[in-house]
Amino acid sequence: MISPHPDVRADAYPVPIFLDVDTGIDDSLALAYLFSSPEAQIIGIACTAGNVPTDRVVANNLAWLDLWDAIGIDVARGADGPLVTGLNTAEDTHGDFGVGYARLPRSLRQISRFTAAQAWVHAARRQPGRLVGLVTGPLTNLALAIRLEPRLPKLLNRLIIMGGAFDHPGNTTPTAEWNISVDPEAAKEVFDAYGAADGATLPVICPLDITETMVMTPQHLQRIALRAGSKPIEFLSPTDPIDRRSEASIPVLRHLTDALRFYFEFHDKQGIGYVAQVHDAFAAAITLHPGMATYRPATVDVELTGTLTRGSTVADRRGFWGRPPNAYIATTSEPDAFFNHLIERIGESLRRRSEYAR
C-alpha cells in the first residue's frame, strides 16, 4: 500500500541542509531552487565525481555560489572516483563543463579544509538530529563519511537520495540509474548502513520512476523569466542555431538558460522530445516539502555482480529477504504542482534580487 512518509511533519524552518552533488545541469537547477527558498539553510556542499570530474564539480559549485551571492557555505572536495571501479562521466548529457552551453565565471573562493566525507561528519555532529542530507549524485562521499562515523545515519534528521529505478527502466543500462551505477558499491554501503542503524530515520529514495515524470519544457523556463522580469523574454526551440546564447538581463537566468538549452537538446536526441527531466530539482523540492510526494517502505539493495544488471536497485516490499525496510521510495507526485512551485520560487527570488540591484 502506498502511504505518506511517517516522518512528514512541519520542520522548523529554515531546514539545515547538507548537499552532496555532482553538479551538472539538473543539479544546477536544484541549487537554484534551494538558493531561492527561504525554507532552506544550506550548511555545506560536498562535491562528488559523477556527471563530470570532481575538480569541475568544485568549480561549478563555487561559481553558482558567486552568481547567487551566497555566503557562509563551505564547499568540500570529494573523492576523485568510485570506491572500487574507475570513474565514468556524462559530458554527453551535461556538456564538457557540466553546465551545458553555460560558461560560468571562475570563482576566487577557497574550498573547505575538510574533505567531503569529513564535511558530512562535521556538519552532522554540529547539528545532531537536525541536519537534513540531500544527495543528487553518486553516494561515494556519503559512504566514506559513514566509514568515518558509523553513527551518521542516526545523527541525521532525514536523508533524501536522488537515485535508483525500481518499477521503471534505467537511464544508464536497461535496469540501472546513473547515480547508483557510477558507484554501486557506495550505494550498497549506504543502504546497508541504514538497514543496520536501529532507530535511524529511514532515507527517502527519489528514483527515476517519479523523477522522469518531472519534465521541464521551454514554456516553464519562459515562465521563470516572466516572473523574474528578465529582458528579453526568450523562448528556446529545437530550431535554434547551435551557437545561440541567452541574452537574459539577469546573469543567473542567462546561465541557467544556456545550461538547459543543452539539456533540452540532449533529451531531444534521445527521442524524449525537446524537454528536460529535472530529477535533482524534484529531489530538492521534497527535501523542503516532503508532502509533495507519497512514499512506500521497502528493503533496498544494489546488484553488484550481475553481468547485465550491475548497479540496479532492487526493492523487497514483501519481506522475501527477511530484513526490515531500510528506505522509503517516493512513488507519486503532481508534476504541475511541482513546476508551479519551482517557477514561483526561482522567478520570485530573481525578481527581488534584480530589483534590489537597481
Side-chain angles (χ1 to χ4, degrees):
M1 184 176 83
I2 294 174
S3 62
H5 191 296
D7 294 299
V8 169
R9 60 195 181 281
D11 280 294
Y13 289 127
V15 178
I17 298 173
F18 187 86
L19 285 168
D20 199 320
V21 291
D22 60 339
T23 305
I25 297 169
D26 54 332
D27 308 76
S28 297
L29 189 65
L31 287 170
Y33 166 77
L34 292 171
F35 289 142
S36 299
S37 297
E39 306 97 320
Q41 179 189 12
I42 300 177
I43 300 300
I45 299 176
C47 301
T48 296
N51 289 325
V52 286
T54 310
D55 285 340
R56 176 45 54 188
V57 176
V58 171
N60 289 345
N61 288 330
L62 295 176
W64 284 123
L65 288 173
D66 283 347
L67 287 164
W68 283 97
D69 298 320
I71 59 174
I73 301 173
D74 277 351
V75 173
R77 190 182 190 282
D80 286 321
L83 298 178
V84 175
T85 61
L87 175 65
N88 291 317
T89 53
E91 286 84 357
D92 61 327
T93 308
H94 295 273
D96 290 342
F97 295 93
V99 286
Y101 293 123
R103 292 296 176 265
L104 303 181
R106 181 175 179 272
S107 176
L108 297 179
R109 294 180 186 230
Q110 299 297 307
I111 64 171
S112 171
R113 71 181 190 277
F114 295 119
T115 66
Q118 291 169 338
W120 265 105
V121 174
H122 179 71
R125 286 175 176 169
R126 289 187 65 186
Q127 299 200 50
R130 291 195 66 238
L131 189 70
V132 176
L134 170 60
V135 183
T136 65
L139 288 158
T140 312
N141 292 333
L142 181 53
L144 292 171
I146 292 172
R147 290 181 182 182
L148 286 177
E149 173 52 278
R151 297 181 304 144
L152 188 58
K154 292 186 178 182
L155 290 174
L156 292 175
N157 177 298
R158 288 185 288 124
L159 174 66
I160 294 83
I161 296 167
M162 191 279 121
F166 296 95
D167 303 313
H168 195 82
N171 63 354
T172 304
T173 73
T175 60
E177 177 273 335
W178 170 258
N179 287 337
I180 302 297
S181 68
V182 168
D183 195 346
E185 280 80 11
K188 180 173 174 57
E189 282 196 25
V190 171
F191 296 138
D192 286 353
Y194 270 90
D198 187 42
T201 301
L202 299 184
V204 166
I205 302 174
C206 194
L208 294 182
D209 311 50
I210 191 168
T211 64
E212 285 200 347
T213 70
M214 302 303 160
V215 179
M216 189 173 192
T217 68
Q219 288 87 349
H220 290 130
L221 187 57
Q222 189 178 50
R223 285 172 58 193
I224 293 175
L226 285 165
R227 185 66 180 260
S230 177
K231 303 291 183 181
I233 299 299
E234 300 173 311
F235 186 78
L236 304 187
S237 164
T239 62
D240 287 340
I242 193 71
D243 59 348
R244 177 182 172 182
R245 295 296 178 269
S246 173
E247 298 177 356
S249 56
I250 299 174
V252 166
L253 186 59
R254 187 163 63 245
H255 291 300
L256 279 176
T257 299
D258 285 340
L260 284 163
R261 177 182 289 109
F262 189 96
Y263 216 31
F264 291 152
E265 290 176 1
F266 167 78
H267 285 81
D268 201 25
K269 292 173 185 174
Q270 295 295 306
I272 299 169
Y274 195 72
V275 297
Q277 295 164 340
V278 290
H279 316 275
D280 298 341
F282 180 72
I286 66 169
T287 300
L288 294 181
H289 302 284
M292 292 182 71
T294 59
Y295 309 86
R296 187 171 181 174
T299 307
V300 175
D301 211 329
V302 182
E303 177 59 55
L304 300 182
T305 60
T307 304
L308 302 177
T309 57
R310 175 174 160 80
S312 302
T313 45
V314 182
D316 178 10
R317 303 183 183 94
R318 299 177 61 184
F320 290 111
W321 297 334
R323 292 151 49 190
N326 61 353
Y328 283 90
I329 300 171
T331 54
T332 65
S333 186
E334 294 293 335
D336 287 345
F338 161 67
F339 279 109
N340 288 339
H341 176 67
L342 181 84
I343 290 162
E344 187 278 331
R345 277 287 186 271
I346 297 177
E348 184 62 19
S349 177
L350 292 176
R351 183 191 65 77
R352 290 196 306 268
R353 288 166 48 83
S354 182
E355 289 180 351
Y356 180 79
R358 288 180 189 147

